[in-house]
Every structure is written in structure tokens, then in C-alpha cells.
Amino acid sequence: MPQALPELHFSHLTDKDGLSNNYVKTVTQDKDGIIWIGTEHGLNRYDGYGFKNFYADPRDPFSFQNNRIQQMVAADNGDIWASTPDGIFSFNTQTHHATAFKPQPGIPDSYTANIPAFIYLDSTGLPWFTADDGLFHFQDETHYRRVSSDLGNLAPKVPRRGMQYGGLVADKKGGLWSCWGNAILRIDPRTKSVLDLYPCPDSIFIRRIDFDSYSRCWVSTWGKGIYLFDPTTAGWRPFAPSPSRPVAYGAAEWTLNGHPYMVFTCSLPGLLFVNEQDLSAWPYPFDSNEVQLTMPPYVDRQNVLWVPSDQGIFYLTPSHNLFNVIAVPQLHTRAKKPRFSYVYNMKEEPSGYWLSKRYYGGLFWYDRNWRLVHSWVGADVPLAGRFDAPGAEAGEAFDFQQRGDSLYVTTESGISLLDLRTLRWSWLIPPGLTAAARLRTIVVETPERWWIRSFNHGVFLFNPVTGKFIRRYANGDTCSHCLPSTINYMVQDKQKDILVSTGNGLYVYDRSADCFNKLVISGDPAPNRPASGLAVDSSGVVWVGTENGLFAFDPRTRTVERTFLEENKIGGVARICADKAQNIWFTSNAGYWCWLRKPDKVLHFEYSLGLPTTDEGIFYETSDGCVYAGGKDALVRFYPQRLMNYRSTVRTKIIDATINDTAALFDTDTHGRRMLLLPPDKGSFSVDFDVINYDLTGTNQYFYKLSPGNNDWKRSESGHLSFYNLQPGSYTLDVKGASKLTGNFTNTDSLDIIIRSYWYRSAWFKIASLLFFSLLAVLFFRYRLQVVRKEGQSRQKMTEMEMMALRSQMNPHFIFNSLNSIENFIMLNEKRLASDYLNKFASLIRMILENSRKQLIPLSIDMEAMQLYVDLERLRFENKFAYITDIDDQLLKGDYRVAPLLIQPFVENAIVHGLAPSDKEGLWLKITVRLRDDYIHYIIEDNGIGRTEAMSYSRKHRPGHKSLGLQISRERMDIINRRTHTESTLNILDLHDAEGRPAGTRVQLSINIA
């Protein structure tokens, strides 16, 4: 019996996808696997990800001559040879440069006709082409010659003359053939001379000839349909694809499910698939009012079938060899249900295939050829069994078991029994229940003993011979051996034990105790968590679905053997199936999964592959080895054997480089490696690479690494890489692809990237500059050494002079303030106080004069001078405040030296601006000196009026006054810091009482003494 053609699903590309023009004339595939498409307006490169268009440009010497591309063939060196109405051209796929060969009438050996030529590549990769005026051959890539222009002594055999010389075609045995209008020519493969001529019967005009795997010659004709020509007998016979005997444009050999097919494009019905084994023909119609197929199809090295048309290009991938989708119709029902229902269960019975869809999606009966025998909106059940569905005409069906001419169907109310002869229903309701039974899975232990799972009423034993429920194993909290409240699935293992998955892990039936017990498994990843799907493989291993992945355990040893999480991508596993090869299939919300046992690899069939979504859909193996998965209003049929033999032949290739939106061309080094040479200012650019795959493109993954740099492979989402501000130098970009379905990696393609340096950054310039500046540095160092010595001596002397100058500014400042106080005492006739003040003033002046030429003095002497100064100020202000000092003994006794009178301006400010204007009692001034590490820390603190009121007081009573003491102290600190290369710090803080009012000022000063 001829094998039926499976349902085919073509993909479609048009100008909306980037195609230059919808009228496609020719297709070919280059040596890297990239598809090239010629149209009525432009040449297109398609890498499975997107299009790049090329157009004729008369101003460009490297352009082809006409946008109407008629025929293309790909050479082994990567070039594309193509014909147009204005002649032929070769196109370099790397440089995108074309070499055009136009007709040149009047020049010997040139072809003259402006008509598309037919191109044929021989074993050397150099083209032969046939035109209306003869056969021509290229000796190299730029020179050709005429080989012959007529048929010689065979010409009288041709019934009609003036026909175009057709193209050369090779058969499967190495023979060479051609056609001349209404005759087939046998060609000498070596000399290309005509050996024999076979005229056509019935005034047939030949469009094209093709050879199949059985060396049969198929003849496509204009208006006469398809003929078969037998070269051994020179016999012709019509092969009638349709009564209209349409125009046939040519064929390509394509493999479907391991069988070779000749695929013809015709004016009617569109496509014709001919099985080469039995010559059965299967039309695949295209609407001729919408789409016209006018060119032969093309089959690439991935076995993708490409079909040109006037509405873009259609293509059919071989992935349908791995799976295909069978639609399950939506039935009208009055029940309120979700917008979709998935195929919940499937069972192969002697009567055929039985399917049920959840949420009142219906019950379906198919024969073994998947022809629908009958459908019901649901199983016939009592009204109470129409669970949670007001208005439903029938109940949901869950599992099936055929016995004779009766089909047992589990439902919400019990078992509905269908007589397959009369299609009449009857019911079997479990006794003793006050609520719906909610029956689900049937497990046949013996012909008289069936186990039936209820979703929430435990497990039932049923005898189909008597039609009686004979035992119920309860669930809930009613007994010590009761099952949990929800039971999710049930199987029988190889030891005949009944296992159930529940909301609290796994349970097993104990025959001796006649009850179910909790199953304790060593290594159980979720012992008290919900378990769902169950399956048993042929080795007896039990597979368990969980909320996150699945695991396998040996029921004999009760130990876990394998766990699958797939980086937590799987999620909850609802249904599991083991096929004949012991591959494990399972569903989750993320899609369909399969663990291939032999390569030990998990495959993920994502929804992006065109598969229907699923939830708790069935996974079920039929007797023919196919595995079916339940999805949204559909079944997915997987072919495990083909999947295990599936090998991806995809390649990864760097396609383009772009600089500032301008295409950059690749160069090649002496070893054949491609290079991208960039000028100095082009460190930002982009590179595109692609996993050249036209089948299951949604499974492509892209990886790259750029060295020197990070040697780890990085992931790219699309193969488009952008690099910014790369420094001049040499880099290597490596790219590769992978398949998410198989997990296999492709080849690695590489590109050497060289970013040139500016001339002043070149190595020779750097070496010359280094030598020059080294010599200059030696001379400069010798000169500078002398200068530095002199500058050092001068700088030291200048620093000392600066310090002396500042101290000289400080001394008059003291003298002015002190003499002013003495004057006040004299004016007030305070002679004793004036005398006392004058003595202290003399002592202070003497001490200042003694220290005036010293940069550093002992801290004890400096504090003694500070004592004299404060005593003078206390006399001046009539002992208005108390003076307190707190100094570390180590500082007074040790040899610690400081700049003289450095803190005097801060002490003066505290007295004059903080304490003197204050009217409150108990005023004080405190100086604390501490040694911490290499620093002397001063704290000058008073409880006067604070800085804010002091500034107001000064503006009111001393307008125009400018204090120089603080400025001088800061300048002295800067000089000390520069000289010692340290950081002295100064902080001035405002103090406040508990109510937030000003309560004085604190000055913190740290001086390095290292």
C-alpha cells in the first residue's frame, strides 16, 4: 500500500521579512551553507536570521549587470555563478564583488543572445553554460570559449528547429544529459560533445529534465505535464499528475521519513510529491489565484525544501521528521469551560485510538490512520457527574479500557460503559459515596481485577466481569493506613506492585496487610512533597514527576538512581512516558521534554518550535513506536527513532563586519585566515555571525570570545556583536553555535582583527623616541642635578626667612596689644597693676626675642610663654576668666619641639572675642595638650559667647577691624606642612548648651612631630 503523505507545514518568506522582491526565480546554497535567492529585482543572502540584499549598479565596476536573476549555481570556492537577461556573472560571497560577462556580438567565441543562459559546474568547479547559440566553457574564472554551436549530423533527427539549447544535467551514474527544445541529448562527460539524440513524441516542448535515485529521467514539459524517459530503451511514457496535464517547471529530490521523493512544481495543483519507490503521487495544492509556482524547487544540504513563487519563497524543514502536530477539533458544548482544552489522555485499543480533552473538550475515536470515527462532547453520565459545569450535556472522560465490544470510560461520577456496536451508554457508579467518585486512571492487574484511581476518594478495586466495585482503599484522616486526600497518578511496576503518587509523596500497596503504606526511598529529593506523573521503563525503574523536575528510583532497592532538574528550568512534571528505546518523555508548563538514554542528553521542545501549549497533557507510546503528547486542542506526534538518529549539520560563520553603518570587507592572510584590518580611529565596530540553520531556528544559540581578554565563552542573543573603543593591537574573535534541542556545538569560526596604530604609536617610532629621550634624559639629569642642589639650598634658606618674617609679624602684634593695655592702666591711675603688667610684659618680650630666630622650641617653653600671655590678658580684663591647662607630663619632660607661639592667635581669639564680651559668671579658658602617635593634639576651649555673637559684637563695637593672628597661624601651618610633607589639621567647633544656645568655642589643632 502506498505510504500516505503526512501533513506538511510550509514556512513563508516575503519582502516583509526583508526579501528584495516577492517574485523568486532561483535558489542555491554556497559552500558555507548560506542560502542565496535570486528574484526579479535583486540578489538576496539569507542566513536563517535575516536578509542582505544586493542590487545591480551601473556605476559600480564590481556590480552584476541586471537585477533579474534567472538561475544560480554555487561553486566550491564560494563563488556564485548566475545568469540574467543581460548575460552571466560570478559573485564573490566574501568580497561581494561581481564579475559580469555580457554578450558581445561580432567577437569570436562570445555568446551573442540576450537570453538567460543555463549554467553547469563540472568537477573542476568551472562553469559550462548553454545559450541559444551554443555551449561555452570557462578555462579559468575570467575566460571562456565556444565548444559547439549545433548538433552536427544529429540535427535531422530533431523534429523542430530553432529551439533553445537546454542546460546540462548529470544523472546518478555520472552520465551527462541536455535537451534541445523537443529532444533529449546524451553528452560525452569529457568532451561535452553530443553522443546521441532522443526526439520527443507528441510535439512535446521540454522545460527541464531531472534524474532520481533510480536513474529514472523525469521530463517536465510545457503544457503536457510530466513524462518518464527510459534511457536504456529510449522509451517515453506520460506520468499524469492531474487530468489537466499542467505545465511542469522542474523537480528536486527530497527525502521524507527516509524515503526519496521527486518534488515537482506545476501550474496545477502546485506541488506534486512522487514517491520514488512505488511512484505514488501526492498533490499539495497551492491556490493558483493567490500563488504561482513558476520555477523548479531546490533542496539544500539540510534537506530543506525551497519552493520559489511569485509571492515570496516557501520552505519546508525536515524537523517535521521529528514531530508533527495533529489537530483535535473543538466541539461545541453548552458547558462553561476555558477558551482551550488540552488532550488529557490517549489510549490505543483494538478499536483504534481514544482521546479525551479536559474541561469538557470532548471524547474522540480515531482509526489507526487517524481518521475520525466518532466524537462526543463527553461521556454519558448522571447529572451529578457533570462536575462543576452547569449546562453540560455530558461528563468529562479521563481514561479508557476496552473489553470486547465495550469501552470503559472513567468519569467524575464513576464508569461510563460504551457499547461499540450500538454506541449506547450505560453507567457503573461506586456504592457508598455521598459525593462524585471522580475516577481517573485504570490499571489492569488481571482480567478480573482492575485498579482505578480516584482524584480524592482513594483507590478502588473493580471487577469488569461482574461489573462490581469490590473494594475501596480510603483516603483522608479516617484511618491510620488511609491514603492522602489527593491522588495524582497510579502505575503497576515490574514486581506487580501498585504505586500511587499523592500530595504527600509515594505510596505502595502492601498485599499482606491489604493496605497502602508510605514508600520510603533513599535519596528521595522531595519525600513529603507532592508527586505527580509516574512511569515504569522496561528495566523496572520507576520515574516520578515532582514540583520541580523528576527522579528515577529502583523499587527493588528503593534508592534514587537519577534526578533531572535542568537548572530548575523544567518545573512541575505532570505526565511521563518511557518508549521502547527507554527514552523518557515528560511534560511540564515549559513544554515537552525527552531524555535520550544512549547519548544521555535532555532535549527540550519549546513552544517556539510551533508546538501547542500544554498543562497536564498525556505522554503515550503507541504500538508503532510513536510517542504522542497532549497539547492545546492538538496532539504532538514524536518519532523517537528519527530523533535518536537526528544529526544537525549546521555551521557557524562570521558573516559581516560594519564600521559606522558601512560594510567592511575581510582580507585573507597567507594561511587563508580571514582578517579585519581597521584604521587607528576605528576601534568601534560590529561583527555579525550566524548559526547557519534553516531547520528549528528557534533552537540556535550563539557564543563568542575575544582574545586577548576574557577567555571564557560568552552568550550572544542574536549573533550581533558590537565592540567599542578597542585599543590598537591584534585580536582574535572566535564564534560558535549550539542547538538548544540537541545540546551539540557547531564548528568554531575565527576572525583576526587588527587595529592599526597611528604612525607616532608604531613600534619603530617608540624605539627611536625611547633612544632619543633616554639620551636627552641623561643630559638633562646631569644638568638638573646641579640645579636641584642649588635650589635645595635656596629653598631651605627661603623657608627659614618666611618663618622669621611671620614671627616678625607676630611680635609687633603682641607689642601693640600689650602697650595698649599698659596705656589703659595708666589712664585709669592703676599704677600697681600697670607695674605688674609691665614686668610680665618684659618677661614675655624677652622670651619672644630669644625664640625669634628658632624654628622649633621645646613645648614646655612655648607653654610658659603662653602662661605669661594669658596672665597679661587676665590683668587686662580684670581676672574676668579662669585659665586651666591640662598637658601630658611626657610632653613637658620630653624633648618635644613645636613652632613658637603657634596657638597664640587661637588663645587670643578665645579671650578677646569669646570671653571679654560675655557678661555671665564662671568664665574659663582651657588648653589641653595630648600626644597621640606622631601628633601633638591641642584643644583650646572657652565658654564665652561663641562665634556667631562675637561677629555681631565686633561689627557693632569694632567696625572695620581685621584680625591678622589667625591668618598668620594658618600660613605658618601651610609652611610646616610643605616642609615636613605632612598634614596638620585645624577644626573649629561651635558649642551649645542643652537648650541649643551658644556656649563657647572649641579649637582642635593637630601638629605632626615625626
Side-chain angles (χ1 to χ4, degrees), residues 723-948:
F723 301 96
Y724 299 98
N725 302 320
L726 286 186
Q727 296 302 309
S730 297
Y731 303 87
T732 298
L733 175 65
D734 294 315
V735 300
K736 66 179 179 180
S739 169
K740 288 189 288 186
L741 177 62
T742 65
N744 296 331
F745 286 96
T746 69
N747 64 299
T748 298
D749 195 20
S750 299
L751 177 67
D752 292 332
I753 302 171
I754 300 175
I755 305 176
R756 297 189 180 97
S757 299
Y758 288 103
W759 62 269
Y760 50 81
R761 294 181 179 176
S762 61
W764 65 266
F765 181 79
K766 290 180 179 179
I767 294 173
S769 300
L770 180 62
L771 294 175
F772 173 76
F773 284 109
S774 296
L775 177 62
L776 192 64
V778 171
L779 297 176
F780 178 77
F781 178 75
R782 295 179 63 182
Y783 166 77
R784 186 62 182 163
L785 188 60
Q786 298 177 359
V787 173
V788 168
R789 287 173 178 171
K790 294 181 180 179
E791 287 181 348
Q793 296 171 356
S794 300
R795 190 179 300 111
Q796 183 178 0
K797 191 170 183 179
M798 289 181 63
T799 301
E800 294 175 355
M801 293 177 65
E802 287 179 5
M803 293 293 290
M804 290 177 62
L806 289 172
R807 287 195 296 273
S808 66
Q809 294 179 37
M810 184 73 72
N811 296 341
H813 187 70
F814 276 118
I815 295 171
F816 174 80
N817 288 336
S818 299
L819 291 177
N820 188 48
S821 297
I822 295 172
E823 180 186 8
N824 288 336
F825 286 131
I826 295 173
M827 293 295 295
L828 295 174
N829 200 24
E830 296 285 349
K831 297 179 181 179
R832 186 185 61 79
L833 290 176
S835 175
D836 189 16
Y837 193 97
L838 188 59
N839 289 332
K840 291 180 180 293
F841 174 70
S843 298
L844 181 59
I845 289 299
R846 183 172 62 253
M847 188 174 291
I848 290 174
L849 291 176
E850 290 176 354
N851 298 328
S852 62
R853 299 187 61 85
K854 299 177 182 178
Q855 293 186 15
L856 300 174
I857 62 173
L859 183 136
S860 58
I861 295 177
D862 188 58
M863 293 307 297
E864 183 181 345
M866 193 56 57
Q867 180 72 49
L868 289 173
Y869 169 73
V870 174
D871 289 345
L872 288 173
E873 292 293 72
R874 291 184 69 215
L875 287 173
R876 177 184 172 192
F877 293 109
E878 300 176 350
N879 293 318
K880 189 176 183 178
F881 61 92
Y883 176 52
I884 308 167
T885 60
D886 183 6
I887 306 171
D888 282 350
D889 289 341
Q890 184 180 357
L891 291 172
L892 295 175
K893 297 176 181 179
D895 187 18
Y896 293 93
R897 294 177 176 270
V898 296
L901 295 177
L902 183 62
I903 65 171
Q904 184 274 333
F906 305 108
V907 175
E908 179 184 352
N909 272 359
I911 297 172
V912 175
H913 300 292
L915 298 172
S918 179
D919 296 329
K920 65 183 179 180
E921 299 292 332
L923 295 173
W924 48 263
L925 170 66
K926 183 178 181 180
I927 298 177
T928 304
V929 188
R930 295 283 185 266
L931 177 64
R932 297 290 185 270
D933 297 327
D934 294 332
Y935 284 84
I936 294 178
H937 297 273
Y938 293 93
I939 299 177
I940 302 101
E941 185 174 349
D942 67 81
N943 64 342
I945 62 174
R947 288 192 296 174
T948 302

Side-chain angles (χ1 to χ4, degrees), residues 7 9 37 49 119 213 321 323 398 419 435 479 518 533 553 752-753 768 775 804 827 883 938:
E7 186 177 358
H9 300 279
I37 301 173
Y49 181 75
I119 303 170
S213 297
N321 289 336
F323 58 83
F398 295 100
D419 189 322
C479 64
K518 183 70 179 292
F553 77 93
D752 292 332
I753 302 171
L775 177 62
M804 290 177 62
M827 293 295 295
Y883 176 52
Y938 293 93

